Amino acid sequence: MTRVCFISHVRPDRLDEYRSRHAAVWPEMLEALRDTGWRDYSLFLAPDGLLVGYLETDDYSAAQEAMTRTAVNPRWQAEMSEFFVADGSPDEGFHVLDEVFHLEDQLRAAGLPTHPQELPA
């Protein structure tokens, strides 16, 4: 399993509408994301338009490639492109960030419980 975090930038004057569009994503887009391996996918939006995305997947490149082959993705990206500062398809403009810390990974590496209920009584 791979954890992926990315950033992009939404136009500050379009934040409310961007939020509104993501409050009711098309069901076929939701299914396409699910079916192509995007899990635990979240988007976070700052007041200045900074968009942070997080997802888990077995293979990010394969998940992205599979999305390009869906019928719904090109339509969704065309609809969303007007909201982004950068030109082009929004899903191609993500800047993926390097993960530098993950609590549970380091707890496991140190031989420590990952949940408080696993502590000896």
Side-chain angles (χ1 to χ4, degrees):
M1 191 267 310
T2 300
R3 292 179 294 272
V4 178
C5 183
F6 62 83
I7 60 170
S8 192
H9 290 89
V10 175
R11 296 179 189 279
D13 62 323
R14 303 297 301 272
L15 298 179
D16 289 341
E17 189 177 355
Y18 185 84
R19 288 178 187 278
S20 176
R21 296 275 185 105
H22 282 81
V25 172
W26 305 336
E28 61 189 312
M29 184 62 173
L30 300 173
E31 291 174 322
L33 288 164
R34 178 199 61 208
D35 295 348
T36 59
W38 298 61
R39 296 185 306 276
D40 200 17
Y41 182 26
S42 299
L43 295 172
F44 301 87
L45 186 59
D48 67 355
L50 175 66
L51 181 71
V52 178
Y54 173 84
L55 67 119
E56 296 175 355
T57 187
D58 294 327
D59 182 332
Y60 183 53
S61 294
Q64 281 187 303
E65 173 62 26
M67 279 302 292
T68 66
R69 293 189 311 268
T70 65
V72 68
N73 192 58
R75 289 182 309 167
W76 179 262
Q77 298 308 322
E79 290 266 331
M80 292 298 107
S81 65
E82 67 190 55
F83 293 97
F84 287 86
V85 172
D87 292 332
S89 182
D91 62 343
E92 295 172 1
F94 296 155
H95 299 284
V96 176
L97 305 177
D98 291 334
E99 183 177 54
V100 297
F101 173 81
H102 185 259
L103 176 61
E104 285 75 11
D105 285 352
Q106 289 203 18
L107 285 168
R108 277 190 285 281
L112 299 169
T114 58
H115 295 43
Q117 62 268 27
E118 296 172 357
L119 295 172

